[in-house]
Amino acid sequence: MKSYAWRAYTAEGKLKTGLSVASDPVEVSTKLRADGLFPEEITEQATGTAHRRLVKRLDADMQAVLARQLAVLIDSGLPVDDALSIVQGERGNSAINAVASRARALVREGAPLSEALEAGQSGFPPFVISAIRAGEASRDLASILDTIATHLETRRSEKAVLATALIYPAFVATVAMLVCGILMVTVAPQLADMFEATGRPLPPLTAFMLGATDWIIRNSVGLIAIFAAIAVGVPVLLRRPSVRAEWDRLLLSMPLFGRFMRQQAAAQYLRTLALVISSRQPVLEGVRNATDVLRVDLFREESRNVTAAIEGGSSLSAALAVSTFIPPVALQLVEAGEKSARLAQMTERAAMLIEASLANERKRVATLIDPLLMMLIGVFVLTIVLSVLLPIFDMQSAIQP
C-alpha cells in the first residue's frame, strides 16, 4: 500500500484535498468517485529527503506529547479517528496538528494508526511504529501508547540533562574565542611591529600564534568552504549503506561510543520485544518487529540470525546469546522469564535495566564534560594571553637596566 495526495472537486465545484492509502492511483480515483468527488490530480507521496524537509515533522518532545495525548484519549474509549480529531482540533503545536491531520486522513481511508503515522511522516522512530502495530494486533493500543509515551518522556529528560551540561561551557568557549581573537588580531600585531622596529626577535610562542592567526585569515574562505562541505557532504555520504556500515564499524571500535551504541540498540530491541510479547503476540513475531528498530547493519544481521534460530526451535535466550549487543545480565533475565512463564515482564525489566545503565553512563559523561571543556578552554586562553604578555615582559626586561 502507498500514500497518495489528491485534489478533487465536489459536484458544486468546491475544491478538496486529502491523503489516501491505496495500491495504485486507480483505486484512489475509484474511492473518490464513490464519495461523489471528481479527482483532478493524484500523486504518490514522495518519501525522499527533499520532500521530507518540506513536511512538518515532530521533534522528540512533540513525539512524547502526541503519544501521551493519544494514549489518554484512546484509553477513554474513543476510536482512533475521534482521538486524532481531538488532537488536531486543539490549539497547540502546529506540527502536532499537521501530523494529526495527515494521520486522520489516512485512518479515515481505512489505514491503521501505525501505517497512518508512518506514511504521514510523523517522525516517530521505527521501534515506536512497530510497537503501535503490535498494539493494534493485540487490541491493546492504549496500553502500548502509554508505555511508549513514558519511554519517550524518559529519553527526552535524559537528553535534556546532557544538553544542559553543554550550555555553560559552550557560552564560555564562545566568549573566550571572541576575546582571544580580538587580542590576536589587534594587540599582538602591534607588539610584533614594535619588536621588528627594535630588531629583537619575538618569543617563539608569540611568533607561532601570530603565524597561525595570519594563516587562518589568509585561508578563511577556503576553511569556511571546507567546513561547509563537511557539514553537507558527511550526512549525504552516510546515507550510502556501504559508507554507513564502515562508519558504524568505526564507532563500535571506540570504547565509549561503541558501548553507548550497543546499549542503545539492546534497550530499543528488548523494549520492542517486550511490547510485542506483552500484547500477546508470538515471540517470533516479536523478534521480527524488534529487528526493524535496529539501525546498525551488524546488529540487524545478528537479529535475523536470532529469528532464524527461533524458527529452528531454539529458545529466545539461547538465540540471543549469539548476539554481540545484548549484555549477559539481560540474557539472564530473559532466561529467567522463560523458566517462570513471565517472559514479557522479564524482557521489559531487562530493557529497563539497560536503559537505567545507559542513563547513568550519560549522566557521568555529562558531569565530566563540563570540567574537561573548561580545562581545555582555560589552556587555550592561557596560551593566547601568554603569547601577548611574553613580548611585554621581554620588552620590560630590555628597558630596565
Side-chain angles (χ1 to χ4, degrees), residues 106-303:
L106 296 173
V107 167
R108 297 186 71 179
E109 291 290 332
L113 178 62
S114 57
E115 186 177 330
L117 291 175
E118 185 175 19
Q121 299 193 16
S122 61
F124 280 113
F127 80 94
V128 171
I129 300 298
S130 297
I132 294 175
R133 189 177 295 114
E136 291 169 332
S138 64
R139 302 182 183 276
D140 196 16
L141 183 57
S143 176
I144 295 295
L145 284 170
D146 181 73
T147 303
I148 289 171
T150 302
H151 173 69
L152 293 176
E153 290 164 354
T154 302
R155 190 171 66 171
R156 178 183 59 179
S157 64
E158 293 171 359
K159 290 183 177 180
V161 170
L162 183 59
T164 303
L166 295 175
I167 291 176
Y168 179 70
F171 176 77
V172 174
T174 302
V175 175
M177 292 285 288
L178 180 61
V179 173
C180 292
I182 293 174
L183 287 176
M184 292 307 301
V185 172
T186 58
V187 179
Q190 295 182 7
L191 293 174
D193 293 340
M194 294 175 61
F195 269 74
E196 184 178 356
T198 59
R200 295 178 60 84
L202 279 171
L205 179 61
T206 306
F208 172 78
M209 294 304 297
L210 282 173
T213 303
D214 291 339
W215 183 85
I216 292 174
I217 293 174
R218 289 196 308 270
N219 299 278
S220 58
V221 176
L223 291 174
I224 293 174
I226 290 173
F227 288 132
I230 292 174
V232 175
V234 169
V236 173
L237 286 175
L238 289 178
R239 294 192 189 101
R240 300 180 61 180
S242 58
V243 177
R244 186 72 192 190
E246 291 298 326
W247 176 252
D248 289 336
R249 192 173 292 110
L250 175 63
L251 292 180
L252 287 172
S253 64
M254 299 180 181
L256 184 63
F257 290 101
R259 185 166 69 252
F260 279 1
M261 288 177 66
R262 290 183 178 89
Q263 288 181 327
Q264 183 70 31
Q268 290 184 351
Y269 184 88
L270 293 173
R271 171 67 65 181
T272 304
L273 185 59
L275 287 171
V276 176
I277 297 175
S278 64
S279 62
R280 296 181 291 278
Q281 296 293 305
V283 174
L284 184 59
E285 187 66 24
V287 295
R288 285 173 178 166
N289 280 275
T291 302
D292 296 335
V293 310
L294 298 175
R295 182 185 58 81
V296 179
D297 290 340
L298 175 62
F299 298 159
R300 291 177 66 90
E301 185 61 30
E302 292 179 355
S303 180

Side-chain angles (χ1 to χ4, degrees), residues 17 62 66 78 92 103 129 160 196 235 241 249 283 304 318 355 369 377:
T17 60
M62 293 302 101
L66 178 58
L78 288 175
I129 300 298
E196 184 178 356
R249 192 173 292 110
V283 174
R304 294 189 188 99
E355 289 169 351
I369 283 177
I377 295 169

Side-chain angles (χ1 to χ4, degrees), residues 3-8 15-21 28 32 37 41-43 45 101-102 104-106 109:
S3 176
Y4 293 91
W6 50 263
R7 291 163 49 91
L15 177 64
K16 285 192 173 184
T17 60
L19 293 173
S20 297
V21 175
V28 178
L32 293 176
L37 298 175
E41 182 181 7
I42 300 173
T43 56
Q45 286 289 86
S101 175
R102 294 195 296 268
R104 185 176 179 235
L106 296 173
E109 291 290 332

